[in-house]
Amino acid sequence: MANWKLINNDPEKDLSSIGALFETSKIKKMYDISELYPTKVIKQLGINSERYSVKLADPEKFTVSEILRMAYIFNIDPNLILNVIQVETEKKIINKLAQHKNKNTK
């Protein structure tokens, strides 16, 4: 992955606090941020609240642009967000593959 060079020199403190949670690995699932300043995050991302909730519950639906915007507004490297999404998505994929394997072996 590329190094993140875009730094928000004037981040909102409350949104930076979400970034700090990513940086300290306190965010394990994207839905963990659902109650953290959702109105501000939604406004900055330019999506509606329903779509935001759907994407937090199913994070592989976030676009690259949305992930980059989140990284900018949280003032963090986007890889921190991608890592959370990757772990969450891998679990879903492994479960689906196991279900298909079990279905095909019966």
Side-chain angles (χ1 to χ4, degrees):
M1 289 249 158
N3 288 331
W4 184 245
K5 295 191 183 351
L6 186 60
I7 296 173
N8 186 352
N9 291 323
D10 189 27
E12 293 191 36
K13 294 215 184 307
D14 42 9
L15 296 179
S16 288
S17 68
I18 298 172
L21 293 173
F22 277 99
E23 289 173 334
T24 58
S25 301
K26 297 228 172 23
I27 304 297
K28 302 295 182 194
K29 298 186 314 183
M30 289 302 291
Y31 209 81
D32 292 346
I33 68 170
S34 65
E35 299 297 320
L36 304 174
Y37 313 104
T39 305
K40 284 187 176 184
V41 175
I42 290 162
K43 184 179 176 186
Q44 298 263 347
L45 285 178
I47 60 177
N48 67 42
S49 61
E50 184 178 333
R51 193 74 186 129
Y52 182 61
S53 292
V54 166
K55 290 182 181 210
L56 289 176
D58 201 4
E60 65 266 20
K61 292 182 178 180
F62 277 109
T63 65
V64 172
S65 177
E66 289 166 339
I67 293 168
L68 294 176
R69 278 184 288 187
M70 263 194 282
Y72 182 76
I73 65 173
F74 299 158
N75 204 30
I76 58 171
D77 186 313
N79 289 313
L80 295 172
I81 298 169
L82 288 168
N83 290 340
V84 171
I85 293 171
Q86 180 178 344
V87 169
E88 215 174 326
T89 304
E90 283 176 353
K91 289 177 185 175
K92 288 181 182 180
I93 291 170
I94 290 168
N95 289 337
K96 284 183 182 180
L97 290 174
Q99 288 174 352
H100 286 292
K101 184 178 181 182
N102 289 337
K103 189 186 269 187
N104 292 331
T105 58
K106 289 183 180 181

